Amino acid sequence: LQDVLRSVVGWLYLSSRQGVEIGSRIEVGGIVGDVIDIGVLKTTMIEVGGTLVYGRQSTGRLVTVPNYRLLSDSVLIAPASSPFVWQEVKITVTYDSDWQRLEQILNEIGKELYDEVAPQLHEGFRRLERRYAFKSGKLTPIVYVSLGDSGAELTLRFLVHIRRRRWAVDLVSRRVLAALAEEPSLRIAYTAYRIHREGDGGVN
């Protein structure tokens, strides 16, 4: 009965706090899922990611976790009251490309994503700040530039609802590809290999 008693204690703990709640996305013991029920002994989630799907989307399977695991293990939580996480999309262009133009394009895309969630975003982080002793800091998107092996690497960092991460990456990728088609000054950088064969002087 040891695990049963520990699970009941875990349920009492979860019931008295607002960290893990219905609608939260959590990761515990390598399992990621959206919480749909917190029972006396077990917490039930809809599985996310795993081996069935790509991009941290729902698999459609239910998974249960004993409540004591939420006390004994490390738990990563995206609470239902503030379900926003940082997402990054990296684009690498050749060094002779107009990387400043790409930076402008990424900033425009980031602003569009930010404007869509700004009211809920600020309210969610205010709730976290009231409950926990921390300051959220900068919430607006930012573009970082670094020097890569193949070219200039520009990374768009922005906040997005945790259940819309794949959608956001898809949106940014489509917008960047469309911009590349219209901007002759921008070229995607990639690693290329040359193979020299002895004897015939040929290059592949």
Side-chain angles (χ1 to χ4, degrees), residues 12-63:
L12 292 173
Y13 174 80
L14 294 174
S15 300
S16 65
R17 297 180 62 85
Q18 299 178 4
V20 177
E21 54 192 332
I22 304 298
S24 297
R25 175 165 293 184
I26 67 173
E27 179 176 349
V28 56
I31 300 173
V32 182
D34 296 323
V35 177
I36 60 174
D37 181 67
I38 300 176
V40 177
L41 300 179
K42 296 181 178 181
T43 293
T44 303
M45 304 181 292
I46 296 180
E47 184 189 33
V48 172
T51 59
L52 296 182
V53 299
Y54 172 78
R56 285 295 174 99
Q57 290 187 299
S58 172
T59 66
R61 300 191 301 188
L62 298 181
V63 58

Side-chain angles (χ1 to χ4, degrees), residues 59 117 149:
T59 66
V117 300
D149 294 334

Side-chain angles (χ1 to χ4, degrees), residues 52-81:
L52 296 182
V53 299
Y54 172 78
R56 285 295 174 99
Q57 290 187 299
S58 172
T59 66
R61 300 191 301 188
L62 298 181
V63 58
T64 60
V65 177
N67 288 337
Y68 72 82
R69 293 285 301 276
L70 302 178
L71 294 179
S72 61
D73 294 6
S74 298
V75 183
L76 303 179
I77 308 171
S81 57

Side-chain angles (χ1 to χ4, degrees), residues 138-163:
K138 183 181 179 67
L139 300 180
T140 53
I142 186 171
V143 176
Y144 291 101
V145 181
S146 59
L147 303 177
D149 294 334
S150 302
E153 297 178 348
L154 283 80
T155 303
L156 173 61
R157 177 177 169 86
F158 57 96
L159 280 162
V160 64
H161 193 290
I162 195 167
R163 293 183 179 85

Side-chain angles (χ1 to χ4, degrees), residues 97-98 101-102 104-105 176-188:
S97 293
D98 185 1
R101 173 56 183 151
L102 178 59
Q104 180 183 3
I105 293 170
V176 169
L177 289 173
L180 290 173
E182 298 176 357
E183 299 281 347
S185 62
L186 295 175
R187 294 192 300 277
I188 290 288

Side-chain angles (χ1 to χ4, degrees), residues 99-114:
W99 63 266
Q100 291 175 313
R101 173 56 183 151
L102 178 59
E103 181 182 22
Q104 180 183 3
I105 293 170
L106 291 175
N107 277 317
E108 292 171 356
I109 298 172
K111 183 178 184 304
E112 178 183 341
L113 292 168
Y114 172 78

